[in-house]
Amino acid sequence: MKICRLRSLFSSIAKCNSQAISPSPSSAAHSFSSINHHLQNVGFIGLGNMGSRMANNLIKAGFKLTVHDKNYDVLEMFSQMGVPTMKTPYEVSEASDIVITMLPSSAHVIDVYTGPDGLLHGGKRIRPWLLIDSSTIDPQTSRNLSATISNYILRERQGDWEKPVKLDAPVSGSIIAAEAGTLTFMVGGSEEAFLTAKSLFLSMGKSTIYCGEAGSGSAAKICNNLALAVSMLGISEALALGQSLGVAASTLTEIFNCSSARCWSSDAYNPVPGLMEGVPSSKDYNGGFASKLMAKDLNLAVESAKLAGCKYPLTSQAQKIYTELCNGGHDAKDFSCAFRHFYSGMDEPLDN
């Protein structure tokens, strides 16, 4: 389960912990050549499957990390690596110039920021000049938190910054991408802060895209996952129909991947067990992006569409399908499991 996977991760990086926490002069020079002094002390809150790997990449890049999570076992693992751990978000805030949060929901984010012992607990003067939320939450919560933070001032001026700034910066990419440092960040908020912190993002990802004002990063993430859900369901439906009509999924996949139906759900993350190695469908739909998380993101998309007055028939249908999958006991399975568990598609092992 999660702790076992994290233990495996940390044991695999144990050999390079000393270099990660105390970089050699050459690696440190490379890591910090484009980073101002006020980017070096980073707090990280939320050390789940994604956050723990993102935090580890920051350590390897030479950042000085302070971390917090409600899971004591995970904190103990970081502590054994020599990383300072804190009991509350507020303590992380007091030790950091930048704080990154990676949390499950809007409610968790609000609590970490504004709850008892939250990041903003210490009054109107705070230490961190930049607060980055990489959680997938609704755009309005992101905007509200940005507005709240704009009423605070820095305890000490950081370069040109007199007031703290918040960026919403959710990510696209799986646990594998988080571990490999190949995530994509979708960032909303101050463009100046985005440009200043770009090297921080690129220590955890391969690309970072500025989306616009506060909340636009969260909006982009919701739209991305909406398109992903509809795409996966469309590919799964077509492949299952093809099987029922006597056309092998392998044949259809070959057609899709060199024609107008080509998409990521077909050529990089195929949902048919046996057609592609290294993807969740080849591992009984374990790992990857859980159906319950896709359902959560579709709920956010539906609520956002309602607030914006937009039509959302495909979003609504996708929401119903993933809710049904979750209610049927497949909530922890990768979202590509719709092929098997909703459309009753068949495994199709490739000939060796």
Side-chain angles (χ1 to χ4, degrees), residues 240-285:
L241 175 61
Q243 288 181 330
S244 297
L245 297 175
V247 183
S250 57
T251 301
L252 280 176
T253 295
E254 184 178 0
I255 293 169
F256 291 169
N257 292 350
C258 64
S259 69
S260 55
R262 184 180 183 183
C263 64
W264 185 84
S265 296
S266 175
D267 70 3
Y269 211 80
N270 198 283
V272 181
L275 287 195
M276 186 175 291
E277 295 182 353
V279 296
S281 62
S282 70
K283 298 177 285 187
D284 195 29
Y285 299 105

Side-chain angles (χ1 to χ4, degrees), residues 45-290:
I45 299 173
L47 302 171
N49 284 331
M50 296 292 288
S52 60
R53 290 160 171 82
M54 294 164 66
N56 182 60
N57 282 328
L58 290 174
I59 294 169
K60 290 192 288 188
F63 291 92
K64 302 172 185 176
L65 233 64
T66 301
V67 300
H68 168 72
D69 193 276
K70 288 187 174 181
N71 189 320
Y72 176 80
D73 290 336
V74 175
L75 285 183
E76 181 62 23
M77 291 178 196
F78 274 90
S79 179
Q80 290 175 5
M81 293 166 58
V83 178
T85 62
M86 299 295 175
K87 295 180 179 179
T88 67
Y90 176 67
E91 291 176 354
V92 173
S93 176
E94 289 292 282
S96 308
D97 300 313
I98 296 176
V99 177
I100 302 171
T101 49
M102 187 62 164
L103 301 163
S105 69
S106 300
H108 290 93
V109 173
I110 292 170
D111 184 61
V112 163
Y113 272 83
T114 64
D117 296 319
L119 293 171
L120 305 179
H121 175 70
K124 291 296 183 179
R125 292 179 177 271
I126 63 174
R127 173 177 173 175
W129 75 273
L130 180 59
L131 300 151
I132 299 172
D133 181 36
S134 288
S135 316
T136 299
I137 63 174
D138 66 280
Q140 192 56 50
T141 294
S142 290
R143 296 188 191 102
N144 291 343
L145 283 173
S146 293
T148 297
I149 290 164
S150 69
N151 294 319
Y152 285 69
I153 59 175
L154 293 177
R155 191 175 301 158
E156 294 183 9
R157 183 181 178 130
Q158 295 276 5
D160 296 330
W161 303 94
E162 296 180 352
K163 284 191 168 189
V165 181
K166 177 183 171 294
L167 296 175
D168 46 287
V171 302
S172 177
S174 63
I175 294 171
I176 296 172
E179 187 165 347
T182 57
L183 296 168
T184 294
F185 286 85
M186 295 159 271
V187 186
S190 162
E191 186 171 10
E192 185 179 0
F194 162 74
L195 293 172
T196 302
K198 196 168 185 179
S199 57
L200 179 79
F201 291 123
L202 293 178
S203 295
M204 300 177 284
K206 65 179 180 179
S207 60
T208 178
I209 300 169
Y210 180 69
C211 301
E213 63 185 15
S216 60
S218 295
K221 174 60 185 290
I222 289 172
C223 293
N224 181 79
N225 279 21
L226 158 60
L228 176 60
V230 171
S231 168
M232 180 57 74
L233 293 176
I235 288 294
S236 296
E237 188 169 316
L239 291 171
L241 175 61
Q243 288 181 330
S244 297
L245 297 175
V247 183
S250 57
T251 301
L252 280 176
T253 295
E254 184 178 0
I255 293 169
F256 291 169
N257 292 350
C258 64
S259 69
S260 55
R262 184 180 183 183
C263 64
W264 185 84
S265 296
S266 175
D267 70 3
Y269 211 80
N270 198 283
V272 181
L275 287 195
M276 186 175 291
E277 295 182 353
V279 296
S281 62
S282 70
K283 298 177 285 187
D284 195 29
Y285 299 105
N286 292 316
F289 187 63

